[in-house]
Amino acid sequence: MEWFLMLDKVFSADGTAIAYEQQGAGPVVVLVGGAFMTRGDSAALAGLLAEHCTVITYDRRGRGDSGDGPEYEVQREVEDLDALIERAGGEAMLFGMSSGAVLALEAVARGSAVSRLAVYEPPFITDDSRPPLPADYVAHLTELVGQGAYGDAAAYFMTAAVGMPAEAVAGMRQAPFWTGMEATARTLPYDGRVMGDTMSGRPLPADRWQSVTVPVLVGTGDAGAPHMLTGARELAALAANFTLHVFPGQEHNIAPNLLAPTLTDFFTTGEQA
């Protein structure tokens, strides 16, 4: 079924307007995007989930049609989610992708009205399979953004955080999609703040999400970067309510048609395997 989408906005606690779209019927699921992502990047997955759920996609603050505040704090993004959840009826489930997975974890840990949480490949670096982030990573990103050097900020993210060779990134800068990456690059320091020290090469802090007591599905592929699988396994091992699901043959950019059935089962029937 095709749903008619209408852009709407909700106001966060600090007055920032957060743009969102809603489709489908049934239990409410909010999709939380990772770095560079706007609500349109989740459209394919949202359409599949909307066959069974009410799905909300939104532009995180500073991106797309959403506004932004003068000073960034992770709590502001948690409040953005709270405003969306309140608009949707006061309780929801979350799916977080990449760094959006860590934001979703933070929201639940800080008391957002979330009944179930699914995440896919939070980009933790907890082993020595690749270099950790530089200690000044967020500071350098912030400096580049402050200078208006959005292309350089995007390139720095791709090399330092994603681990791509500089030559490959130089080629990307000539591609048509690079303009879209530059348009959201000003929020890359936000994702860095959300991630905290979880990309340092050290084990995950055991107590960071100990207040997350709802069922959590931790998804990962087995064909991507080794540190992604390691990080997902570490996260799933933190507590009995965290369950690991490995998608065979998938990498960080998982196919929506392979992800959607597992999420649908988790959100509608409680299946976690």
Side-chain angles (χ1 to χ4, degrees), residues 112-143:
S112 295
V114 175
S115 59
R116 301 180 78 82
L117 168 64
V119 300
Y120 186 78
E121 291 206 345
F124 301 136
I125 303 175
T126 62
D127 60 16
D128 60 359
S129 64
R130 58 146 291 171
L133 289 190
D136 64 346
Y137 168 77
V138 173
H140 186 53
L141 265 182
T142 303
E143 180 182 9

PDB file of all heavy atoms in Angstrom, residues 112-143:
ATOM      1  N   SER A 112      13.147   8.400  27.949  1.00  0.00           N
ATOM      2  CA  SER A 112      12.115   8.597  26.939  1.00  0.00           C
ATOM      3  C   SER A 112      11.110   7.445  26.990  1.00  0.00           C
ATOM      4  O   SER A 112      11.450   6.313  27.341  1.00  0.00           O
ATOM      5  CB  SER A 112      12.742   8.678  25.544  1.00  0.00           C
ATOM      6  OG  SER A 112      13.564   9.822  25.432  1.00  0.00           O
ATOM      7  N   ALA A 113       9.867   7.738  26.607  1.00  0.00           N
ATOM      8  CA  ALA A 113       8.775   6.759  26.695  1.00  0.00           C
ATOM      9  C   ALA A 113       8.848   5.783  25.528  1.00  0.00           C
ATOM     10  O   ALA A 113       8.097   5.869  24.560  1.00  0.00           O
ATOM     11  CB  ALA A 113       7.437   7.471  26.727  1.00  0.00           C
ATOM     12  N   VAL A 114       9.780   4.856  25.633  1.00  0.00           N
ATOM     13  CA  VAL A 114      10.047   3.886  24.569  1.00  0.00           C
ATOM     14  C   VAL A 114       9.820   2.484  25.121  1.00  0.00           C
ATOM     15  O   VAL A 114      10.360   2.136  26.175  1.00  0.00           O
ATOM     16  CB  VAL A 114      11.497   4.025  24.053  1.00  0.00           C
ATOM     17  CG1 VAL A 114      11.814   2.938  23.032  1.00  0.00           C
ATOM     18  CG2 VAL A 114      11.701   5.415  23.446  1.00  0.00           C
ATOM     19  N   SER A 115       9.046   1.681  24.403  1.00  0.00           N
ATOM     20  CA  SER A 115       8.718   0.337  24.879  1.00  0.00           C
ATOM     21  C   SER A 115       9.612  -0.750  24.308  1.00  0.00           C
ATOM     22  O   SER A 115       9.796  -1.807  24.925  1.00  0.00           O
ATOM     23  CB  SER A 115       7.259   0.006  24.562  1.00  0.00           C
ATOM     24  OG  SER A 115       7.014   0.087  23.164  1.00  0.00           O
ATOM     25  N   ARG A 116      10.181  -0.520  23.120  1.00  0.00           N
ATOM     26  CA  ARG A 116      11.102  -1.469  22.499  1.00  0.00           C
ATOM     27  C   ARG A 116      12.086  -0.676  21.646  1.00  0.00           C
ATOM     28  O   ARG A 116      11.749   0.376  21.101  1.00  0.00           O
ATOM     29  CB  ARG A 116      10.371  -2.495  21.620  1.00  0.00           C
ATOM     30  CG  ARG A 116       9.332  -3.321  22.356  1.00  0.00           C
ATOM     31  CD  ARG A 116       8.635  -4.316  21.433  1.00  0.00           C
ATOM     32  NE  ARG A 116       9.445  -5.482  21.173  1.00  0.00           N
ATOM     33  CZ  ARG A 116       9.544  -6.536  21.994  1.00  0.00           C
ATOM     34  NH1 ARG A 116       8.879  -6.542  23.134  1.00  0.00           N
ATOM     35  NH2 ARG A 116      10.286  -7.564  21.683  1.00  0.00           N
ATOM     36  N   LEU A 117      13.294  -1.213  21.512  1.00  0.00           N
ATOM     37  CA  LEU A 117      14.345  -0.525  20.771  1.00  0.00           C
ATOM     38  C   LEU A 117      15.082  -1.513  19.883  1.00  0.00           C
ATOM     39  O   LEU A 117      15.493  -2.580  20.343  1.00  0.00           O
ATOM     40  CB  LEU A 117      15.329   0.129  21.742  1.00  0.00           C
ATOM     41  CG  LEU A 117      16.655   0.652  21.169  1.00  0.00           C
ATOM     42  CD1 LEU A 117      16.414   1.783  20.187  1.00  0.00           C
ATOM     43  CD2 LEU A 117      17.579   1.106  22.296  1.00  0.00           C
ATOM     44  N   ALA A 118      15.242  -1.155  18.622  1.00  0.00           N
ATOM     45  CA  ALA A 118      16.084  -1.919  17.710  1.00  0.00           C
ATOM     46  C   ALA A 118      17.167  -1.002  17.159  1.00  0.00           C
ATOM     47  O   ALA A 118      16.914   0.178  16.895  1.00  0.00           O
ATOM     48  CB  ALA A 118      15.259  -2.499  16.554  1.00  0.00           C
ATOM     49  N   VAL A 119      18.365  -1.531  17.017  1.00  0.00           N
ATOM     50  CA  VAL A 119      19.475  -0.741  16.479  1.00  0.00           C
ATOM     51  C   VAL A 119      20.201  -1.576  15.432  1.00  0.00           C
ATOM     52  O   VAL A 119      20.179  -2.806  15.466  1.00  0.00           O
ATOM     53  CB  VAL A 119      20.462  -0.308  17.589  1.00  0.00           C
ATOM     54  CG1 VAL A 119      19.770   0.548  18.630  1.00  0.00           C
ATOM     55  CG2 VAL A 119      21.127  -1.510  18.254  1.00  0.00           C
ATOM     56  N   TYR A 120      20.848  -0.894  14.499  1.00  0.00           N
ATOM     57  CA  TYR A 120      21.669  -1.578  13.515  1.00  0.00           C
ATOM     58  C   TYR A 120      23.035  -0.918  13.437  1.00  0.00           C
ATOM     59  O   TYR A 120      23.156   0.271  13.157  1.00  0.00           O
ATOM     60  CB  TYR A 120      21.024  -1.578  12.127  1.00  0.00           C
ATOM     61  CG  TYR A 120      21.807  -2.422  11.142  1.00  0.00           C
ATOM     62  CD1 TYR A 120      21.697  -3.809  11.148  1.00  0.00           C
ATOM     63  CD2 TYR A 120      22.699  -1.848  10.243  1.00  0.00           C
ATOM     64  CE1 TYR A 120      22.438  -4.601  10.285  1.00  0.00           C
ATOM     65  CE2 TYR A 120      23.448  -2.619   9.367  1.00  0.00           C
ATOM     66  CZ  TYR A 120      23.312  -4.004   9.392  1.00  0.00           C
ATOM     67  OH  TYR A 120      24.073  -4.781   8.542  1.00  0.00           O
ATOM     68  N   GLU A 121      24.035  -1.704  13.729  1.00  0.00           N
ATOM     69  CA  GLU A 121      25.449  -1.349  13.624  1.00  0.00           C
ATOM     70  C   GLU A 121      25.808   0.024  14.188  1.00  0.00           C
ATOM     71  O   GLU A 121      26.275   0.913  13.438  1.00  0.00           O
ATOM     72  CB  GLU A 121      25.936  -1.496  12.187  1.00  0.00           C
ATOM     73  CG  GLU A 121      25.995  -2.950  11.759  1.00  0.00           C
ATOM     74  CD  GLU A 121      26.989  -3.260  10.649  1.00  0.00           C
ATOM     75  OE1 GLU A 121      27.459  -2.318   9.971  1.00  0.00           O
ATOM     76  OE2 GLU A 121      27.303  -4.449  10.471  1.00  0.00           O
ATOM     77  N   PRO A 122      25.604   0.237  15.483  1.00  0.00           N
ATOM     78  CA  PRO A 122      26.224   1.423  16.082  1.00  0.00           C
ATOM     79  C   PRO A 122      27.729   1.336  15.828  1.00  0.00           C
ATOM     80  O   PRO A 122      28.332   0.288  16.059  1.00  0.00           O
ATOM     81  CB  PRO A 122      25.887   1.281  17.568  1.00  0.00           C
ATOM     82  CG  PRO A 122      25.537  -0.166  17.763  1.00  0.00           C
ATOM     83  CD  PRO A 122      24.967  -0.636  16.474  1.00  0.00           C
ATOM     84  N   PRO A 123      28.353   2.400  15.331  1.00  0.00           N
ATOM     85  CA  PRO A 123      29.724   2.294  14.823  1.00  0.00           C
ATOM     86  C   PRO A 123      30.801   2.339  15.914  1.00  0.00           C
ATOM     87  O   PRO A 123      31.736   3.145  15.853  1.00  0.00           O
ATOM     88  CB  PRO A 123      29.830   3.492  13.881  1.00  0.00           C
ATOM     89  CG  PRO A 123      28.912   4.505  14.481  1.00  0.00           C
ATOM     90  CD  PRO A 123      27.757   3.718  15.049  1.00  0.00           C
ATOM     91  N   PHE A 124      30.657   1.458  16.875  1.00  0.00           N
ATOM     92  CA  PHE A 124      31.633   1.390  17.958  1.00  0.00           C
ATOM     93  C   PHE A 124      32.988   0.899  17.431  1.00  0.00           C
ATOM     94  O   PHE A 124      33.044   0.064  16.526  1.00  0.00           O
ATOM     95  CB  PHE A 124      31.163   0.430  19.053  1.00  0.00           C
ATOM     96  CG  PHE A 124      29.840   0.783  19.677  1.00  0.00           C
ATOM     97  CD1 PHE A 124      28.884  -0.196  19.916  1.00  0.00           C
ATOM     98  CD2 PHE A 124      29.562   2.090  20.050  1.00  0.00           C
ATOM     99  CE1 PHE A 124      27.674   0.117  20.502  1.00  0.00           C
ATOM    100  CE2 PHE A 124      28.350   2.422  20.634  1.00  0.00           C
ATOM    101  CZ  PHE A 124      27.404   1.427  20.860  1.00  0.00           C
ATOM    102  N   ILE A 125      34.048   1.407  18.004  1.00  0.00           N
ATOM    103  CA  ILE A 125      35.392   0.867  17.782  1.00  0.00           C
ATOM    104  C   ILE A 125      35.898   0.418  19.143  1.00  0.00           C
ATOM    105  O   ILE A 125      36.270   1.240  19.986  1.00  0.00           O
ATOM    106  CB  ILE A 125      36.338   1.914  17.172  1.00  0.00           C
ATOM    107  CG1 ILE A 125      35.780   2.451  15.852  1.00  0.00           C
ATOM    108  CG2 ILE A 125      37.731   1.298  16.941  1.00  0.00           C
ATOM    109  CD1 ILE A 125      36.596   3.583  15.249  1.00  0.00           C
ATOM    110  N   THR A 126      35.872  -0.882  19.374  1.00  0.00           N
ATOM    111  CA  THR A 126      36.215  -1.414  20.697  1.00  0.00           C
ATOM    112  C   THR A 126      37.348  -2.432  20.636  1.00  0.00           C
ATOM    113  O   THR A 126      37.645  -3.082  21.634  1.00  0.00           O
ATOM    114  CB  THR A 126      34.985  -2.087  21.335  1.00  0.00           C
ATOM    115  OG1 THR A 126      34.574  -3.196  20.518  1.00  0.00           O
ATOM    116  CG2 THR A 126      33.842  -1.104  21.479  1.00  0.00           C
ATOM    117  N   ASP A 127      37.971  -2.567  19.461  1.00  0.00           N
ATOM    118  CA  ASP A 127      39.086  -3.505  19.323  1.00  0.00           C
ATOM    119  C   ASP A 127      40.178  -2.843  18.489  1.00  0.00           C
ATOM    120  O   ASP A 127      40.110  -1.646  18.204  1.00  0.00           O
ATOM    121  CB  ASP A 127      38.621  -4.825  18.702  1.00  0.00           C
ATOM    122  CG  ASP A 127      38.024  -4.641  17.299  1.00  0.00           C
ATOM    123  OD1 ASP A 127      38.232  -3.572  16.688  1.00  0.00           O
ATOM    124  OD2 ASP A 127      37.352  -5.570  16.806  1.00  0.00           O
ATOM    125  N   ASP A 128      41.176  -3.626  18.102  1.00  0.00           N
ATOM    126  CA  ASP A 128      42.294  -3.062  17.343  1.00  0.00           C
ATOM    127  C   ASP A 128      42.224  -3.417  15.869  1.00  0.00           C
ATOM    128  O   ASP A 128      43.231  -3.380  15.161  1.00  0.00           O
ATOM    129  CB  ASP A 128      43.620  -3.537  17.937  1.00  0.00           C
ATOM    130  CG  ASP A 128      43.778  -5.063  17.912  1.00  0.00           C
ATOM    131  OD1 ASP A 128      42.837  -5.759  17.443  1.00  0.00           O
ATOM    132  OD2 ASP A 128      44.826  -5.557  18.364  1.00  0.00           O
ATOM    133  N   SER A 129      41.028  -3.740  15.366  1.00  0.00           N
ATOM    134  CA  SER A 129      40.898  -4.110  13.961  1.00  0.00           C
ATOM    135  C   SER A 129      40.995  -2.904  13.033  1.00  0.00           C
ATOM    136  O   SER A 129      41.153  -3.062  11.825  1.00  0.00           O
ATOM    137  CB  SER A 129      39.575  -4.841  13.722  1.00  0.00           C
ATOM    138  OG  SER A 129      38.464  -3.995  13.971  1.00  0.00           O
ATOM    139  N   ARG A 130      40.881  -1.700  13.596  1.00  0.00           N
ATOM    140  CA  ARG A 130      41.064  -0.465  12.832  1.00  0.00           C
ATOM    141  C   ARG A 130      41.481   0.620  13.816  1.00  0.00           C
ATOM    142  O   ARG A 130      41.272   0.502  15.023  1.00  0.00           O
ATOM    143  CB  ARG A 130      39.803  -0.070  12.087  1.00  0.00           C
ATOM    144  CG  ARG A 130      38.568   0.129  12.938  1.00  0.00           C
ATOM    145  CD  ARG A 130      37.676   1.231  12.396  1.00  0.00           C
ATOM    146  NE  ARG A 130      38.301   2.549  12.548  1.00  0.00           N
ATOM    147  CZ  ARG A 130      37.810   3.659  12.002  1.00  0.00           C
ATOM    148  NH1 ARG A 130      36.714   3.619  11.277  1.00  0.00           N
ATOM    149  NH2 ARG A 130      38.404   4.835  12.204  1.00  0.00           N
ATOM    150  N   PRO A 131      42.056   1.716  13.327  1.00  0.00           N
ATOM    151  CA  PRO A 131      42.477   2.785  14.236  1.00  0.00           C
ATOM    152  C   PRO A 131      41.283   3.444  14.921  1.00  0.00           C
ATOM    153  O   PRO A 131      40.209   3.591  14.317  1.00  0.00           O
ATOM    154  CB  PRO A 131      43.193   3.778  13.312  1.00  0.00           C
ATOM    155  CG  PRO A 131      43.568   2.989  12.108  1.00  0.00           C
ATOM    156  CD  PRO A 131      42.492   1.961  11.935  1.00  0.00           C
ATOM    157  N   PRO A 132      41.456   3.856  16.173  1.00  0.00           N
ATOM    158  CA  PRO A 132      40.400   4.609  16.844  1.00  0.00           C
ATOM    159  C   PRO A 132      40.319   6.031  16.299  1.00  0.00           C
ATOM    160  O   PRO A 132      41.166   6.454  15.507  1.00  0.00           O
ATOM    161  CB  PRO A 132      40.851   4.603  18.302  1.00  0.00           C
ATOM    162  CG  PRO A 132      42.344   4.532  18.220  1.00  0.00           C
ATOM    163  CD  PRO A 132      42.635   3.660  17.022  1.00  0.00           C
ATOM    164  N   LEU A 133      39.303   6.757  16.720  1.00  0.00           N
ATOM    165  CA  LEU A 133      39.216   8.166  16.333  1.00  0.00           C
ATOM    166  C   LEU A 133      40.336   8.968  16.980  1.00  0.00           C
ATOM    167  O   LEU A 133      40.737   8.674  18.112  1.00  0.00           O
ATOM    168  CB  LEU A 133      37.879   8.761  16.769  1.00  0.00           C
ATOM    169  CG  LEU A 133      36.618   8.318  16.045  1.00  0.00           C
ATOM    170  CD1 LEU A 133      35.455   9.203  16.467  1.00  0.00           C
ATOM    171  CD2 LEU A 133      36.797   8.374  14.538  1.00  0.00           C
ATOM    172  N   PRO A 134      40.835   9.997  16.307  1.00  0.00           N
ATOM    173  CA  PRO A 134      41.802  10.891  16.956  1.00  0.00           C
ATOM    174  C   PRO A 134      41.187  11.532  18.197  1.00  0.00           C
ATOM    175  O   PRO A 134      39.972  11.769  18.249  1.00  0.00           O
ATOM    176  CB  PRO A 134      42.088  11.938  15.878  1.00  0.00           C
ATOM    177  CG  PRO A 134      41.701  11.286  14.582  1.00  0.00           C
ATOM    178  CD  PRO A 134      40.561  10.376  14.908  1.00  0.00           C
ATOM    179  N   ALA A 135      42.002  11.820  19.176  1.00  0.00           N
ATOM    180  CA  ALA A 135      41.496  12.398  20.427  1.00  0.00           C
ATOM    181  C   ALA A 135      40.811  13.739  20.192  1.00  0.00           C
ATOM    182  O   ALA A 135      39.884  14.107  20.923  1.00  0.00           O
ATOM    183  CB  ALA A 135      42.648  12.550  21.424  1.00  0.00           C
ATOM    184  N   ASP A 136      41.246  14.481  19.176  1.00  0.00           N
ATOM    185  CA  ASP A 136      40.658  15.802  18.898  1.00  0.00           C
ATOM    186  C   ASP A 136      39.633  15.752  17.765  1.00  0.00           C
ATOM    187  O   ASP A 136      39.349  16.780  17.142  1.00  0.00           O
ATOM    188  CB  ASP A 136      41.751  16.815  18.571  1.00  0.00           C
ATOM    189  CG  ASP A 136      42.512  16.468  17.279  1.00  0.00           C
ATOM    190  OD1 ASP A 136      42.375  15.327  16.784  1.00  0.00           O
ATOM    191  OD2 ASP A 136      43.227  17.352  16.765  1.00  0.00           O
ATOM    192  N   TYR A 137      39.072  14.596  17.510  1.00  0.00           N
ATOM    193  CA  TYR A 137      38.172  14.409  16.368  1.00  0.00           C
ATOM    194  C   TYR A 137      37.007  15.392  16.393  1.00  0.00           C
ATOM    195  O   TYR A 137      36.777  16.120  15.424  1.00  0.00           O
ATOM    196  CB  TYR A 137      37.655  12.963  16.363  1.00  0.00           C
ATOM    197  CG  TYR A 137      36.514  12.720  15.407  1.00  0.00           C
ATOM    198  CD1 TYR A 137      36.751  12.597  14.042  1.00  0.00           C
ATOM    199  CD2 TYR A 137      35.203  12.598  15.860  1.00  0.00           C
ATOM    200  CE1 TYR A 137      35.705  12.378  13.148  1.00  0.00           C
ATOM    201  CE2 TYR A 137      34.156  12.371  14.983  1.00  0.00           C
ATOM    202  CZ  TYR A 137      34.413  12.261  13.629  1.00  0.00           C
ATOM    203  OH  TYR A 137      33.378  12.041  12.760  1.00  0.00           O
ATOM    204  N   VAL A 138      36.264  15.452  17.472  1.00  0.00           N
ATOM    205  CA  VAL A 138      35.094  16.337  17.539  1.00  0.00           C
ATOM    206  C   VAL A 138      35.534  17.800  17.478  1.00  0.00           C
ATOM    207  O   VAL A 138      34.902  18.623  16.804  1.00  0.00           O
ATOM    208  CB  VAL A 138      34.259  16.066  18.801  1.00  0.00           C
ATOM    209  CG1 VAL A 138      33.146  17.102  18.949  1.00  0.00           C
ATOM    210  CG2 VAL A 138      33.656  14.665  18.744  1.00  0.00           C
ATOM    211  N   ALA A 139      36.618  18.132  18.157  1.00  0.00           N
ATOM    212  CA  ALA A 139      37.101  19.509  18.150  1.00  0.00           C
ATOM    213  C   ALA A 139      37.494  19.948  16.740  1.00  0.00           C
ATOM    214  O   ALA A 139      37.189  21.075  16.316  1.00  0.00           O
ATOM    215  CB  ALA A 139      38.288  19.655  19.099  1.00  0.00           C
ATOM    216  N   HIS A 140      38.157  19.062  16.002  1.00  0.00           N
ATOM    217  CA  HIS A 140      38.569  19.417  14.646  1.00  0.00           C
ATOM    218  C   HIS A 140      37.363  19.549  13.722  1.00  0.00           C
ATOM    219  O   HIS A 140      37.287  20.484  12.904  1.00  0.00           O
ATOM    220  CB  HIS A 140      39.547  18.378  14.102  1.00  0.00           C
ATOM    221  CG  HIS A 140      40.135  18.734  12.773  1.00  0.00           C
ATOM    222  ND1 HIS A 140      40.764  19.933  12.533  1.00  0.00           N
ATOM    223  CD2 HIS A 140      40.175  18.050  11.589  1.00  0.00           C
ATOM    224  CE1 HIS A 140      41.178  19.987  11.279  1.00  0.00           C
ATOM    225  NE2 HIS A 140      40.823  18.845  10.691  1.00  0.00           N
ATOM    226  N   LEU A 141      36.401  18.630  13.848  1.00  0.00           N
ATOM    227  CA  LEU A 141      35.177  18.745  13.064  1.00  0.00           C
ATOM    228  C   LEU A 141      34.470  20.070  13.348  1.00  0.00           C
ATOM    229  O   LEU A 141      34.011  20.760  12.433  1.00  0.00           O
ATOM    230  CB  LEU A 141      34.226  17.595  13.404  1.00  0.00           C
ATOM    231  CG  LEU A 141      34.226  16.350  12.531  1.00  0.00           C
ATOM    232  CD1 LEU A 141      33.182  15.374  13.037  1.00  0.00           C
ATOM    233  CD2 LEU A 141      33.983  16.678  11.062  1.00  0.00           C
ATOM    234  N   THR A 142      34.379  20.399  14.624  1.00  0.00           N
ATOM    235  CA  THR A 142      33.706  21.634  15.033  1.00  0.00           C
ATOM    236  C   THR A 142      34.405  22.850  14.449  1.00  0.00           C
ATOM    237  O   THR A 142      33.754  23.813  14.006  1.00  0.00           O
ATOM    238  CB  THR A 142      33.653  21.732  16.562  1.00  0.00           C
ATOM    239  OG1 THR A 142      32.981  20.574  17.081  1.00  0.00           O
ATOM    240  CG2 THR A 142      32.932  22.979  17.016  1.00  0.00           C
ATOM    241  N   GLU A 143      35.730  22.815  14.416  1.00  0.00           N
ATOM    242  CA  GLU A 143      36.496  23.923  13.839  1.00  0.00           C
ATOM    243  C   GLU A 143      36.216  24.058  12.348  1.00  0.00           C
ATOM    244  O   GLU A 143      35.995  25.174  11.846  1.00  0.00           O
ATOM    245  CB  GLU A 143      37.989  23.684  14.076  1.00  0.00           C
ATOM    246  CG  GLU A 143      38.883  24.784  13.519  1.00  0.00           C
ATOM    247  CD  GLU A 143      40.356  24.503  13.736  1.00  0.00           C
ATOM    248  OE1 GLU A 143      40.698  23.390  14.168  1.00  0.00           O
ATOM    249  OE2 GLU A 143      41.172  25.407  13.462  1.00  0.00           O
TER     250      GLU A 143
END
